[in-house]
């Protein structure tokens, strides 16, 4: 198969980028999308040009590192599939394919197709965990959890933190990410003691990081490679209203990490 | 002779006694110590978080953009523990025994027993963090039998156990980052270890976006940098996995133990062509219901459905009637290679065997199979374009895990004082072959429970002089790092770094993969040297240091693999026996099974660096078995 690629090239954060056209030939339909880019990059390197930078690591759809907008869609055309798991047999021979980075204010471009997603880490740092120290846990089976609750928590916990939801959202909101993180714990007994603070702290961290507001477009769930359902967003909204009412304010709660020395 | 400093006393009291005897650092003193943790996988993240909780100052480094993306995230099957929740006869001693036996009697008894002891606490810890393990309707935790174990001791979270455990550890790490006790440095690659007065005291790193070279001083260094399975180019590991951190430490004086123990996993999707960049693991659990076979005759081009029952060879069931399709990884892998070498392999490249679910589907119904393996079947179809409910899967062995690693003593400290090594990066617990679901257990045992205790003993008893990053040892290390980067950028050859890695991988797979022979190993050493010379003349590394430069990152890692390959071959050559994953063709029983030589080789081989291209010096740690009788593994 042969393709024309139109790829975003940007040498560094401070420079302006542009779309550049490349040809790739003799692509096997069994290649993954990233292997097709490997071929392009080998050619570029051998001919003395700099390769196209893109993030990737596991190439199994689980690490959340790959982050390409392919023909306008985060992770490309296949449903529930990360870019690294997308194979060329799904494209028409001779097609022109555009490849761009995630676009969002909170995800500045670092180079070419690589963006800075540390904002997501900072949101989690604000409280996306259960605060317990190593060694202090009771026997695992002393906390029974109804299978249904465990399964729903698992569904939320499947989020790989890739940021496709943000890239797909017209407002660049991280609401689906935050919903998945909070609802994972909200469904488990272990998550109850900090449920209120966690909800408020994560939502506020999300706003602080410059993610947009959620206005119910639901593009996020359509783009999510793990098919995290939008239902979690309504659950988060409910939790948030309850939490805010409970505290009678939207002010910042003390951070969850125990700061006392 | 190498001394592992194993505590005295009966096996099941060693760890508790040692915990009592070790020096402690008082809570108010801990914040005076700075610990540099390289790696944020299960081992690194759990260690950094636990050390932060104790009150140490921690710096943690990873090369991905987030600590949550470490390779541990990809683990599928599960994590072992001796809880005996299923009341099926499991115990700490049984987990200990199975691990020792599975490792073909090439691991240290005391370490393995400690691992089994700590295993239960890991599950408690993870559940308390909210890790959503599979549960039964009664609300309690579910277990399964994994990789042929005779008891159900594996805890799992669908096919994503690694991800869920890592998110637990990442949560704990995030909490310490928020609390200001851990400083996290992402997209930062360690390029050298700094040794002062014989102690590991610092690091030199390169920031992968700006190219900035930085120095970090600390009181102790912890490497949690994973395994080197990517030496074979194609493996189930993430693309970024590499040996650089461990290899730099080796060059600075830490000894490398048992590098030749490399695990080849039997159930991976075969390569489909030259372009292949990695291989995808199909969980071992599939072997519970799938039957493995190849055509009886050579070069049989018929579609699998057209091959009648009596022209199929269910070779594992035939050769190992009692374990059959669940025979251990090393045995299953070698058997697959054998039938493919005979010309009976299937698939486009002839390197594959069938894993067939037709019988199970007929017996249990498609719905049951879908409920058990739906996500794996979907993944298979995504990659190959074939529907495994209709056509048997094709699988082939691939490099998966490395039991070898930097040598550590009972306290997980390397031969360089102050340098601790945890997780897959060390050599400690799996002997010559790792059992399924035991790597996650070991990484978390090391990081949550063992290292945080033993490092305190080091910090409390060693005399560690205050130094700054202006110490000449830092100048020297940084100079070396810069010089090497400049050299790589200046090669100006014609061939991509990738192409060298691919050739090295082929070479290693051919001569130092599933089966090895003295002649082949010698040849591999000579050819690696030639390949290395060629690399330094003809590789092309694009760009500059001062930017995000994937080509430069890759080049540094491949250059290290090219040197490390030789150490691996020397180790394989010197170990004139077959044990676990290390199979020497000259040492097999008349039936073609591995022949161990306990008289000559019941020891750990640890290699000391003596210069590039020079044979390293071997040191030995004898393995003493006081609690188990050395037996021949038999899965017939
Ligand atoms: C596909 C697959 C499935 C598996 N399934 C299972 C399973 O079901 N059960 C089981 O027990 N085991 C399984 N394993 C094995 C297990 O996942 C690994 O052995 C284990 O996760 C390794 O953890 P680690 O913390 O030691 O290293 P890793 O998770 O590999 O982490 C290494 C860390 O070190 C960092 N790093 C490395 N080099 C540098 C450097 N130079 N500078 C800075 N940072 C560096 C990386 O960024 C990363 O953060 C599986 C392995 C694979 C490949
Ligand atoms: S590379 Fe890991 S999810 Fe795509």
């Amino acid at each position: 198969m042969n393709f024309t690629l139109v790829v975003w090239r940007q040498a560094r954060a401070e420079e302006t980028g542009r779309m550049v056209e490349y040809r790739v030939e003799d692509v096997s339909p069994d290649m993954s999308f990233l292997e097709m880019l490997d071929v392009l990059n080998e050619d570029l390197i051998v001919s003395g040009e700099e390769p196209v930078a893109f993030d990737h690591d596991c190439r199994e759809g689980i690490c959340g590192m790959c982050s390409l907008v392919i023909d306008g869609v985060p992770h490309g055309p296949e449903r529930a599939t990360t870019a690294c798991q997308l194979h060329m047999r799904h494209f028409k021979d001779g097609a022109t394919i555009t490849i761009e980075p995630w676009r969002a204010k909170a995800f500045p471009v670092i180079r070419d197709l690589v963006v800075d997603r540390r904002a997501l880490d900072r949101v989690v740092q604000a409280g996306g965990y259960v605060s317990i120290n190593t060694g202090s846990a009771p026997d695992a089976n002393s906390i029974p959890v109804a299978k249904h609750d465990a399964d729903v928590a698992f569904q939320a916990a499947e989020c790989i933190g890739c940021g496709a939801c943000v890239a797909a959202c017209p407002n660049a909101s991280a609401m689906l990410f935050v919903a998945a993180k909070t609802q994972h714990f909200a469904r488990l007994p272990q998550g109850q003691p900090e449920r209120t603070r966690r909800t408020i702290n994560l939502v506020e961290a999300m706003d602080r990081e410059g993610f947009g507001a959620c206005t119910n477009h639901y593009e996020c769930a359509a783009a999510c490679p793990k098919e995290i359902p939008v239902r979690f967003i309504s659950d988060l909204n409910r939790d948030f209203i309850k939490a805010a009412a409970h505290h009678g304010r939207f002010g910042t709660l003390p951070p969850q990490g125990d700061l006392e020395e | 002779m190498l001394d592992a400093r194993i505590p005295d006393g009966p096996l099941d009291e060693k760890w508790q006694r040692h915990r009592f005897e070790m020096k402690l650092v008082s809570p108010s003193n801990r914040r005076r110590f700075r610990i540099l943790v390289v790696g944020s996988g299960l081992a690194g993240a759990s260690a950094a978080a636990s050390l932060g909780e104790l009150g140490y100052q921690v710096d943690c480094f990873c090369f991905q953009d987030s600590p949550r993306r470490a390779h541990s995230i990809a683990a599928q099957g599960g994590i072992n523990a001796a809880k005996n929740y299923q009341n099926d006869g499991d115990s700490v001693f049984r987990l200990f025994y199975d691990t020792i036996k599975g490792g073909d009697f090439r691991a240290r008894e005391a370490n393995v027993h400690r691992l089994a002891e700590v295993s239960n606490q890991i599950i408690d810890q993870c559940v308390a963090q909210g890790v959503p393990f599979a549960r039964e309707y009664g609300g309690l935790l579910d277990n399964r039998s994994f990789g042929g174990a005779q008891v159900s001791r594996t805890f799992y979270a669908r096919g994503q156990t690694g991800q869920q455990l890592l998110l637990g550890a990442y949560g704990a790490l995030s909490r310490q980052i928020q609390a200001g006790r851990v400083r996290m440095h992402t997209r930062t690659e360690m390029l050298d270890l700094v040794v002062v007065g014989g102690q590991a005291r610092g690091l030199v790193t390169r920031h992968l976006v700006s190219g900035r070279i930085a120095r970090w001083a600390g009181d102790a260094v912890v490497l949690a940098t994973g395994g080197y399975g990517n030496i074979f180019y194609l493996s189930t590991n993430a693309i970024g996995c590499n040996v650089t951190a461990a290899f730099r430490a080796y060059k600075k004086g830490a000894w490398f133990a048992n590098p030749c123990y490399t695990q080849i996993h039997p159930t991976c999707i075969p390569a489909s062509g030259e372009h292949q960049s990695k291989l995808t693991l199909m969980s071992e659990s599939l072997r519970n219901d799938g039957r493995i076979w190849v055509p009886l005759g050579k070069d049989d081009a018929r579609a699998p459905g057209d091959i009648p029952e009596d022209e199929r060879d269910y070779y594992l069931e035939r050769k190992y009637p009692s374990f059959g399709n669940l025979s251990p990884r090393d045995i299953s892998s070698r058997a697959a290679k054998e039938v493919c070498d005979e010309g009976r392999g299937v698939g486009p490249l002839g390197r594959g065997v069938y894993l067939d679910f037709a019988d199970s589907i007929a017996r249990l119904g498609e719905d049951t199979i879908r409920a058990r393996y739906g996500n794996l079947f979907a993944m298979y179809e995504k990659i190959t374009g074939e529907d495994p409910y209709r056509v048997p899967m094709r699988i082939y062995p691939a490099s998966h895990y490395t039991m070898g690693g930097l040598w550590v003593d009972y306290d997980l400290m390397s031969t360089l004082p102050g340098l601790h090594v945890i997780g897959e990066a060390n050599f400690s617990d799996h002997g010559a072959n790792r059992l399924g679901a035991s790597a996650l257990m070991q990484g978390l045992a090391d990081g949550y429970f063992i290292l945080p205790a033993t490092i305190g003993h080091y910090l409390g008893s060693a005399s560690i002089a205050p130094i700054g990053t202006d110490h000449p040892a830092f100048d020297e290390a940084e100079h070396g790092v810069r010089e090497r980067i400049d050299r790589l950028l200046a090669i100006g050859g014609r061939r991509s770094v990738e192409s060298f890695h691919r050739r090295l991988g082929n070479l290693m797979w051919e001569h130092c993969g599933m089966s090895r022979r003295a002649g082949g190993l010698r040849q591999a050493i000579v050819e690696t040297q030639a390949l290395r010379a060629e690399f330094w003349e003809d590789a092309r590394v694009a760009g500059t240091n001062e930017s995000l430069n994937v080509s430069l990152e890759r080049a540094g890692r491949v250059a290290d693999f090219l040197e490390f390959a030789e150490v691996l071959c020397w180790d394989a050559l010197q170990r004139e026996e077959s044990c676990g994953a290390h199979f020497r063709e000259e040492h097999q029983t008349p039936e073609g099974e591995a022949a161990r030589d306990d008289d000559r080789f019941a020891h750990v081989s640890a290699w000391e660096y003596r210069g590039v291209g020079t044979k390293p010096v071997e040191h030995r740690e004898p393995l003493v078995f006081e609690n188990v009788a050395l037996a021949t593994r038999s899965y017939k």
Side-chain angles (χ1 to χ4, degrees):
Chain A
M1 305 171 94
N2 300 321
F3 298 99
T4 304
L5 305 180
V6 185
V7 185
W8 182 258
R9 303 292 321 245
Q10 179 175 343
R12 55 186 69 239
E14 313 78 59
E15 283 172 28
T16 44
R18 64 197 174 96
M19 301 298 287
V20 178
E21 202 174 294
Y22 301 99
R23 288 281 297 163
V24 280
E25 283 164 7
D26 287 332
V27 171
S28 145
D30 287 329
M31 278 185 191
S32 71
F33 198 82
L34 301 190
E35 283 167 349
M36 184 272 299
L37 287 180
D38 290 343
V39 172
L40 168 69
N41 276 344
E42 281 213 40
D43 289 350
L44 288 177
I45 291 171
V46 170
S47 63
E49 283 184 62
E50 288 206 45
V52 178
F54 61 92
D55 265 334
H56 64 104
D57 200 20
C58 74
R59 297 201 175 191
E60 297 198 357
I62 194 73
C63 73
M65 191 110 180
C66 62
S67 42
L68 305 177
V69 175
I70 300 166
D71 286 336
V73 183
H75 289 307
E78 281 288 289
R79 202 181 52 85
T81 305
T82 53
C84 60
Q85 290 285 76
L86 177 64
H87 284 72
M88 296 316 291
R89 66 178 82 90
H90 298 295
F91 291 86
K92 269 235 255 342
D93 193 10
T96 297
I97 306 172
T98 63
I99 312 174
E100 294 165 273
W102 279 181
R103 302 251 185 228
K105 184 171 145 225
F107 294 161
V109 173
I110 292 173
R111 173 173 199 149
D112 298 339
L113 304 169
V114 178
V115 299
D116 181 350
R117 283 174 288 190
R118 280 177 299 175
L120 295 179
D121 283 331
R122 289 189 294 265
V123 169
V124 174
Q125 283 156 20
Y129 38 76
V130 174
S131 301
I132 58 147
N133 283 350
T134 302
S136 56
D139 180 80
N141 261 352
S142 66
I143 321 172
V145 182
K147 183 165 165 44
H148 174 73
D149 292 339
D151 287 347
V152 177
F154 180 86
Q155 194 182 16
E158 277 197 83
C159 168
I160 57 173
C162 63
C165 47
V166 178
C169 176
N171 308 332
S173 167
M175 200 61 173
L176 190 63
F177 173 81
V178 172
K181 195 82 243 166
T182 51
Q183 292 310 303
H184 160 197
F185 297 114
R187 298 303 171 122
L188 296 173
Q190 299 92 307
Q192 298 314 313
E194 296 170 286
R195 186 165 174 173
T196 306
R197 318 161 104 205
R198 182 182 303 114
T199 305
I200 293 192
N201 285 344
L202 261 67
V203 169
E204 287 186 349
M206 171 174 74
D207 292 345
R208 232 179 6 251
E209 292 296 338
F211 291 105
C214 170
T215 49
N216 306 325
H217 283 271
Y218 300 153
E219 298 289 338
C220 50
C224 175
K226 296 295 151 184
E227 303 190 290
I228 308 279
V230 284
R231 176 164 50 84
F232 288 131
I233 295 185
S234 1
D235 295 345
L236 167 60
N237 279 327
R238 238 189 331 272
D239 272 5
F240 186 72
I241 290 166
K242 236 194 281 175
H246 184 63
H247 283 264
R249 63 187 174 108
F250 285 76
T252 308
L253 292 173
Q256 290 176 312
D258 50 327
L259 277 169
E260 68 280 5
E261 266 290 326
Chain B
M1 210 145 53
L2 254 175
D3 179 9
R5 289 183 282 268
I6 295 168
D8 293 332
L11 185 65
D12 56 358
E13 287 173 23
K14 284 182 196 290
W15 177 231
Q16 288 315 324
R17 276 198 202 188
H18 190 55
R19 289 194 61 165
F20 177 71
E21 282 160 8
M22 278 188 294
K23 285 248 163 50
L24 294 174
V25 180
S26 76
S28 55
N29 271 339
R30 288 185 203 139
R31 81 178 103 87
R32 303 214 183 111
F33 292 103
R34 180 164 292 285
I35 302 173
L36 309 174
V37 179
V38 190
S40 66
L42 284 176
S46 59
S50 303
L51 292 169
E53 288 163 11
L54 286 169
Y56 294 107
Q57 305 273 353
V58 180
D59 282 282
C60 183
F61 303 82
C62 74
F63 60 72
Q64 290 90 348
D65 71 330
S66 162
R68 69 177 288 161
R69 305 203 204 282
H71 164 62
S72 293
I73 200 101
Q76 301 174 353
I79 175 167
N80 287 331
K83 284 282 194 187
N84 192 30
Y85 281 159
Q86 306 306 322
N87 194 28
D88 58 357
D90 202 9
S91 62
V92 165
F93 193 82
R94 188 177 295 280
L95 176 54
F96 154 76
Y97 182 78
D98 287 355
T99 309
I100 289 277
K101 177 185 174 210
D104 217 357
F105 303 93
R106 290 293 174 264
R108 229 184 248 157
E109 278 190 345
N111 281 54
V112 176
H113 196 275
R114 175 177 64 186
L115 175 65
E117 283 170 55
V118 167
S119 68
N120 291 338
Q121 259 181 298
I122 298 173
I123 303 302
D124 299 342
Q125 183 66 28
C126 296
V127 166
Q129 289 169 343
V131 170
F133 283 122
R135 287 180 182 267
E136 313 211 22
Y137 282 102
L140 301 184
L141 293 160
D142 190 18
N143 294 112
R144 62 183 175 199
S145 153
F146 196 70
Q150 310 287 58
V151 291
S152 293
R153 63 160 72 102
T154 304
F155 295 77
Y156 65 102
R158 297 228 186 113
Q160 307 177 0
T161 315
Q163 182 188 13
Q164 297 311 329
L165 294 173
L166 185 57
L167 289 182
Y170 162 75
L173 176 64
S174 298
R175 177 167 164 252
Q176 294 308 307
I177 296 171
Q178 180 80 3
R181 296 222 187 86
V182 177
R183 293 190 300 188
M184 184 71 220
H185 311 278
T186 57
R187 294 200 198 264
T188 304
E189 182 166 23
M190 163 189 167
L191 290 181
D192 210 356
L193 179 76
V194 179
V195 179
V196 178
Q199 293 172 325
R201 293 304 303 275
L203 303 171
V204 174
T205 61
R206 175 174 181 270
H207 189 249
L208 299 180
V209 176
S210 65
R212 197 169 71 86
I213 308 292
R215 306 169 173 201
W216 309 88
D219 300 288
V221 177
V222 180
L223 293 190
T225 46
Y228 51 87
N230 275 346
I231 187 143
F232 294 104
Y233 184 69
L234 287 181
S235 88
T236 61
N237 290 12
I239 302 283
C241 293
N242 68 86
V243 76
T244 290
F247 195 67
R248 299 277 121 196
Y250 162 76
K251 287 181 116 173
K252 282 289 171 82
W255 297 351
F256 211 110
N258 300 337
C260 80
Y261 294 159
T262 56
Q263 181 169 76
I264 312 292
H265 197 292
T267 54
C268 305
I269 302 179
S272 65
E274 260 295 291
H275 58 267
Q276 195 84 29
S277 61
K278 78 155 279 167
L279 296 170
T280 301
L281 176 73
M282 286 278 100
S283 168
E284 189 149 44
S285 60
L286 290 168
R287 293 203 275 148
N288 288 329
D289 286 306
R291 296 181 71 196
I292 295 175
W293 63 276
V294 288
L296 258 185
K298 277 189 187 183
D299 304 319
D300 190 333
R302 285 176 293 178
D306 297 338
I307 303 179
E309 234 4 78
D310 61 351
E311 291 177 44
R312 299 176 175 191
D313 180 11
Y314 295 89
Y315 58 88
L316 284 177
E317 297 172 17
R318 171 171 59 80
K319 289 168 83 169
Y320 308 99
S322 64
F323 279 70
N325 296 300
L326 292 172
S327 298
R329 292 180 175 177
D330 49 336
I331 290 178
S332 309
S333 293
R334 244 178 350 257
K337 176 181 189 300
E338 252 169 52
V339 294
C340 292
D341 286 349
E342 288 161 19
R344 301 196 285 144
V346 300
L349 306 178
R351 291 268 139 200
V353 300
Y354 291 124
L355 177 62
D356 196 338
F357 292 86
D359 286 355
S360 302
I361 291 176
R363 185 162 40 92
L364 304 164
E366 194 171 311
D367 287 347
T368 307
I369 295 299
R370 194 180 302 277
R372 283 188 193 164
Y373 311 110
N375 56 342
L376 295 169
F377 277 41
M379 169 138 107
Y380 181 85
E381 183 165 7
K382 217 168 250 180
I383 293 171
T384 61
E386 291 173 2
D387 173 6
Y389 293 99
R390 311 274 158 269
V391 203
M393 282 186 180
R394 283 176 294 111
I395 53 164
Y396 197 66
S399 162
H400 178 60
Y401 180 87
T402 53
M403 283 73 68
L406 290 174
W407 185 88
V408 288
D409 65 10
Y410 186 75
D411 284 349
L412 304 180
M413 189 159 85
S414 71
T415 50
L416 266 179
L419 179 70
H420 295 72
V421 191
I422 60 178
E424 192 173 340
N426 74 22
F427 89 108
S428 68
D429 295 357
H430 306 293
N433 178 48
R434 172 178 72 79
L435 292 182
S438 285
L440 303 182
M441 169 173 72
Q442 181 229 330
L444 290 180
D446 290 359
Y448 280 132
F449 297 108
I450 300 168
L451 176 93
T454 58
I455 207 167
H457 180 58
Y458 171 74
L459 295 170
S461 49
S463 81
I464 303 170
I467 54 153
T469 53
D470 51 358
H471 189 281
F474 280 90
D475 294 338
E476 200 185 311
E478 177 173 338
H479 179 74
V481 163
R482 286 188 185 278
E483 196 177 56
R484 192 175 143 91
I485 290 172
D486 292 344
R487 251 180 91 201
L488 285 168
L489 289 168
I491 303 174
R494 290 160 305 158
R495 297 226 309 272
S496 72
V497 168
E498 202 78 7
S499 68
F500 284 97
H501 193 179
R502 217 175 279 135
R503 280 167 66 195
L504 175 69
N506 284 338
L507 194 71
M508 294 301 285
W509 187 245
E510 183 61 29
H511 297 299
C512 200
M514 273 181 279
S515 77
R516 300 151 175 188
R517 198 160 33 79
L521 290 166
R522 285 210 189 83
Q523 189 184 338
I525 291 172
V526 174
E527 286 186 28
T528 317
Q529 290 174 344
L531 191 61
R532 197 166 58 229
E534 210 181 317
F535 172 89
W536 285 103
E537 281 187 356
D538 203 19
R540 171 149 216 138
V541 186
T544 62
N545 175 56
E546 285 71 33
S547 66
L548 193 160
N549 186 339
V550 283
S551 155
L552 177 62
E553 285 167 33
R554 206 60 194 266
R557 295 172 194 166
V558 171
D560 283 336
F561 273 136
L562 281 164
E563 289 181 23
F564 174 63
E566 247 178 87
V567 187
L568 210 163
C569 291
W570 282 120
D571 188 45
L573 185 60
Q574 156 287 144
R575 189 163 282 277
E576 294 170 335
E577 65 162 350
S578 296
C579 60
H582 171 65
F583 188 78
R584 282 286 299 267
E585 289 169 16
E586 308 94 318
H587 304 278
Q588 47 182 310
T589 64
E591 302 89 59
E593 301 303 329
R596 238 177 36 221
D597 185 345
D598 294 331
D599 292 338
R600 290 178 62 216
F601 290 99
H603 60 246
V604 176
S605 302
W607 298 90
E608 181 187 359
Y609 178 68
R610 281 297 166 88
V612 182
T614 307
K615 183 180 173 187
V617 174
E618 191 203 356
H619 302 268
R620 292 182 176 179
E621 176 201 334
L623 291 169
V624 184
F625 294 91
E626 292 169 335
N627 300 277
V628 301
L630 272 73
T632 302
R633 283 194 318 167
S634 171
Y635 296 93
K636 291 252 169 204

